[in-house]
Amino acid sequence: MEKFSSLHSRLQHRYPLAYNLALIAAIVLALAVAAHVVMQIGTRHGSRRTVPDFSGVQLLEAQRLARRSDLRLQINDSLFVPVYEGGIVLDQLPKGGVEVKPGRTVYVTINSFRQKMVPVPYVADRSLRQAKNMLEIAGLEIAQLVYRTDMATNYVLDQYLGKQKITEASSVEAEMGSGVTLYVGVQPGHGVTVVPQVIGLSLRDAKSRLWELGLNVGKVTFDSDINLLNQKDAYVYMQNPAAERRTQLGAKVDIRLTLDTRKIADRLEEARLQAEEAFLERQRAEEEHAGAEVHDRGFFD
């Protein structure tokens, strides 16, 4: 020990610069090793956990399972699906079976105990577009558009929630997502509209687009792999009647949705070409009709 101390002292006095550089290098190395050890402990390097499948499990039980697996559970969203009990986990991210680091947060969607109730706004005495927007903002939708003869086309005359008429003085709540029936005016000779292109749109956007143009949503069908949880990720790939066809206000448009992006891309290109042909055909018919009217006026004059 004394020899080592003597050697250490001679080196320190004889080679001060080299000694100090070696000392600094040793300190830096020690700090790097310490930081690495701390990081390994903090991140639990090499330690993995398999995420349990929480689907169909009550929230309290799911939280217990998460703690046992050294994971954290956080409610990301809630839906109301009547066929399931309230508090049941419907979906999760990451999915069950995925390996993650300990302490990872798993985001879950749970089933609400009841559907949220929202006030029904008074939308009569407004244009159809304004009424539609007000209902959508309130979390409601249009159950049906019923057209009545009136001097103002696409002007909302009355509204009903089921069999109950909604007036300006009404104070009514409905389950979110409920439909309101609107009675809308149409002037004689102005009852025709053009079917919009809804292929490539989500169900919500397709409905909104159809209502905006005075059309009702007809039969809605889904590919077999679509359920209540992934429905929001589906898009329209078929519609009937096709886009750019003339039809009566209040007519129904049937739609079908899929999760297959290739189907959507193929049908969208096909629908675009059909819509162009329909538009040109309609334009020619209108020009011929206008020409015939001019001819008739000249004949009678």
Side-chain angles (χ1 to χ4, degrees):
M1 186 69 181
E2 289 182 3
K3 289 183 179 179
F4 176 79
S5 178
S6 176
L7 178 62
H8 176 271
S9 180
R10 287 200 303 273
L11 288 173
Q12 184 177 5
H13 288 89
R14 186 172 298 178
Y15 308 104
L17 180 60
Y19 173 82
N20 288 330
L21 289 175
L23 182 61
I24 291 171
I27 293 172
V28 170
L29 180 62
L31 289 174
V33 171
H36 178 70
V37 171
V38 170
M39 186 177 295
Q40 294 284 72
I41 295 173
T43 60
R44 303 177 192 180
H45 185 72
S47 179
R48 309 290 289 180
R49 296 288 186 270
T50 300
V51 178
D53 185 0
F54 298 117
S55 300
V57 178
Q58 280 285 349
L59 180 60
L60 290 177
E61 175 63 13
Q63 290 172 331
R64 187 182 66 80
L65 291 173
R67 286 194 295 269
R68 182 187 295 178
S69 299
D70 200 9
L71 300 170
R72 291 180 292 179
L73 213 62
Q74 182 173 322
I75 299 174
N76 186 49
D77 197 3
S78 64
L79 300 173
F80 180 67
V81 184
V83 296
Y84 295 112
E85 295 179 19
I88 289 286
V89 175
L90 300 175
D91 197 13
Q92 67 183 82
L93 189 68
K95 298 291 185 182
V98 175
E99 287 195 347
V100 297
K101 291 182 179 180
R104 171 72 181 270
T105 299
V106 180
Y107 298 93
V108 297
T109 298
I110 66 167
N111 192 40
S112 300
F113 287 88
R114 59 168 294 184
Q115 182 63 292
K116 181 181 178 182
M117 303 296 288
V118 295
V120 179
Y122 180 67
V123 299
D125 300 328
R126 291 179 173 83
S127 70
L128 176 58
R129 182 189 293 263
Q130 289 175 315
K132 176 195 72 77
N133 290 341
M134 289 175 67
L135 289 173
E136 289 176 339
I137 290 170
L140 302 170
E141 60 179 40
I142 296 174
Q144 187 180 9
L145 296 173
V146 181
Y147 277 86
R148 289 175 173 171
T149 301
D150 189 80
M151 63 182 296
T153 299
N154 280 330
Y155 189 79
V156 179
L157 309 174
D158 289 306
Q159 68 181 98
Y160 283 79
L161 180 67
K163 295 183 178 181
Q164 181 180 3
K165 183 176 181 178
I166 305 299
T167 66
E168 197 166 5
S170 297
S171 180
V172 179
E173 288 191 336
E175 291 186 352
M176 181 176 284
S178 297
V180 177
T181 298
L182 300 182
Y183 287 83
V184 189
V186 55
Q187 188 177 352
H190 293 77
V192 175
T193 187
V194 177
V195 179
Q197 177 72 270
V198 297
I199 292 179
L201 300 183
S202 66
L203 177 58
R204 179 179 177 179
D205 290 343
K207 285 181 174 182
S208 182
R209 184 67 178 137
L210 293 172
W211 294 327
E212 191 173 84
L213 293 177
L215 295 167
N216 280 301
V217 180
K219 187 177 181 181
V220 178
T221 52
F222 299 91
D223 282 359
S224 59
D225 57 343
I226 298 176
N227 54 47
L228 290 169
L229 299 180
N230 61 19
Q231 196 177 100
K232 63 181 182 300
D233 301 318
Y235 293 88
V236 177
Y237 75 102
M238 292 179 67
Q239 70 175 87
N240 184 37
E244 294 297 332
R245 303 292 179 181
R246 292 168 64 90
T247 190
Q248 294 295 311
L249 288 171
K252 293 181 178 180
V253 177
D254 299 331
I255 56 177
R256 186 174 182 89
L257 295 95
T258 185
L259 296 170
D260 189 339
T261 55
R262 290 174 300 178
K263 275 187 182 181
I264 298 167
D266 292 343
R267 293 291 181 134
L268 189 58
E269 178 60 22
E270 181 183 340
R272 185 185 64 79
L273 295 174
Q274 291 177 350
E276 287 181 359
E277 291 177 5
F279 172 77
L280 293 174
E281 182 182 330
R282 182 162 48 84
Q283 196 174 48
R284 283 193 298 269
E286 290 173 353
E287 289 173 354
E288 289 174 3
H289 180 71
E293 285 187 339
V294 171
H295 178 269
D296 291 342
R297 283 199 301 270
F299 178 81
F300 286 108
D301 288 346

